[in-house]
């Protein structure tokens, strides 16, 4: 592909992603959910779970392996970094200093409880003779994997939900961000693959959603006080 063809394909992908995120986001807002939830659903719809399952040839044409997917990935990471920087500008460390014991206890409970439940669930599932885990997986490996997968959270998603609920800069919003469990990359934040089969490990192609996320509340009126 020439550079002009790569650019055209990239902007077509970006248009499809943003249109799907906006449309599904507006639909979920009608039922009282944050728009970011709709963006995650849009990623599932455009990914191998739906589009790739029903129309695999169309997904391969829209999101083929190659330079355009690399560009999508790079743009998404730049947008995510900029958005988290703006979130950090709203982080009031003074509130955390006054509520440090609460933040620590909430964070530890948010990690420990799902970690234990996930490990216990894995211990039960690994007994199913290769149904959920392959034969070579040890019990402790399955417990560690599932426990960690359930305990972590997508920190950018938490920040978006707090913003959309107009809690940015408030005591509750700052405490929620400070007490957030260990983070994992946002949906779809995986390296672009060189083959369609391995690319299905990505959650979705909706990587650039952070690049068009609303800015934090320093550009809009705050809800509530400190």
């Amino acid at each position: 592909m020439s550079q002009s063809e790569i650019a055209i394909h990239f902007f077509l992908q970006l248009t499809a992603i943003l249109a799907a995120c906006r449309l599904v986001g507006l639909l979920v807002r009608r039922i009282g959910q944050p728009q970011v939830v709709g963006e995650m659903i849009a990623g599932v719809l455009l990914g191998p779970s739906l589009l790739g399952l029903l129309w695999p040839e169309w997904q391969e044409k829209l999101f083929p392996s190659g330079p355009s997917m690399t560009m999508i990935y790079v743009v998404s990471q730049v947008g995510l970094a900029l958005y988290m920087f703006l979130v950090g500008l709203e982080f009031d460390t003074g509130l955390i200093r006054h509520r440090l014991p609460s933040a620590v206890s909430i964070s530890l409970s948010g990690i420990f409880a799902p970690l234990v439940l996930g490990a216990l669930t894995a211990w039960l599932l690994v007994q199913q003779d290769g149904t959920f885990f392959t034969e070579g997986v040890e019990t402790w490996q399955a417990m560690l994997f599932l426990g960690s997968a359930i305990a972590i959270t997508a920190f950018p998603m938490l920040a978006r939900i707090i913003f959309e609920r107009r809690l940015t800069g408030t005591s509750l919003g700052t405490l929620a961000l400070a007490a957030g469990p260990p983070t994992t990359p946002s949906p779809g934040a995986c390296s672009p693959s060189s083959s369609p089969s391995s690319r299905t490990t990505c959650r979705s192609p909706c990587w650039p959603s952070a690049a068009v996320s609303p800015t934090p509340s320093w550009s809009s009126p705050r809800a509530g006080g400190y």
Side-chain angles (χ1 to χ4, degrees):
M1 297 177 66
S2 64
Q3 292 184 349
S4 59
E5 290 175 336
I6 293 174
I8 292 172
H9 205 147
F10 168 75
F11 284 111
L12 286 176
Q13 291 173 328
L14 194 61
T15 301
I17 291 171
L18 297 181
C21 289
R22 181 61 62 182
L23 177 61
V24 182
L26 292 176
L27 292 177
V28 299
R29 288 179 64 179
R30 291 182 175 272
I31 59 175
Q33 297 299 313
Q35 181 167 325
V36 67
V37 175
E39 293 173 1
M40 290 188 287
I41 295 174
V44 175
L45 298 179
L46 290 178
S49 299
L50 184 65
L51 182 61
L53 180 64
L54 300 180
W55 300 285
E57 65 282 356
W58 282 100
Q59 194 204 26
E60 180 58 27
K61 290 180 180 179
L62 185 58
F63 301 106
S65 58
S68 61
M69 292 297 291
T70 302
M71 292 177 62
I72 288 285
Y73 176 77
V74 172
V75 169
S76 73
Q77 298 308 300
V78 172
L80 180 61
L82 291 176
Y83 180 71
M84 294 310 297
F85 174 77
L86 295 178
V87 170
L89 293 178
E90 287 293 309
F91 195 83
D92 191 344
T93 56
L95 291 174
I96 299 304
R97 284 196 295 267
H98 291 91
R99 295 172 174 80
L100 185 59
S102 299
V104 172
S105 60
I106 293 173
S107 180
L108 290 178
S109 62
I111 298 171
F112 182 74
L115 181 66
V116 172
L117 291 175
L120 292 176
T121 303
W123 180 75
L124 295 174
L125 296 179
V126 80
Q127 314 295 329
Q128 304 300 317
D129 298 328
T131 303
F132 298 98
F133 295 96
T134 58
E135 297 293 341
V137 177
E138 300 289 341
T139 302
W140 68 270
Q141 293 174 329
M143 295 175 67
L144 182 61
F145 168 76
L146 191 58
S148 300
I150 295 178
I152 59 178
T153 186
F155 192 81
M157 299 299 102
L158 175 63
R160 281 288 305 277
I161 291 174
I162 289 175
F163 168 77
E164 292 181 15
R165 294 303 185 188
R166 304 185 65 81
L167 295 174
T168 309
T170 65
S171 300
L172 179 60
T174 304
L175 183 61
L177 286 175
T183 185
T184 188
S186 60
C190 53
S191 299
S193 170
S194 58
S195 65
S197 59
S198 58
R199 193 172 66 250
T200 58
T201 57
C202 302
R203 291 189 190 177
S204 73
C206 285
W207 294 329
S209 59
V212 293
S213 300
T215 54
S217 63
W218 55 264
S219 61
S220 61
R222 277 195 179 93
Y226 288 99

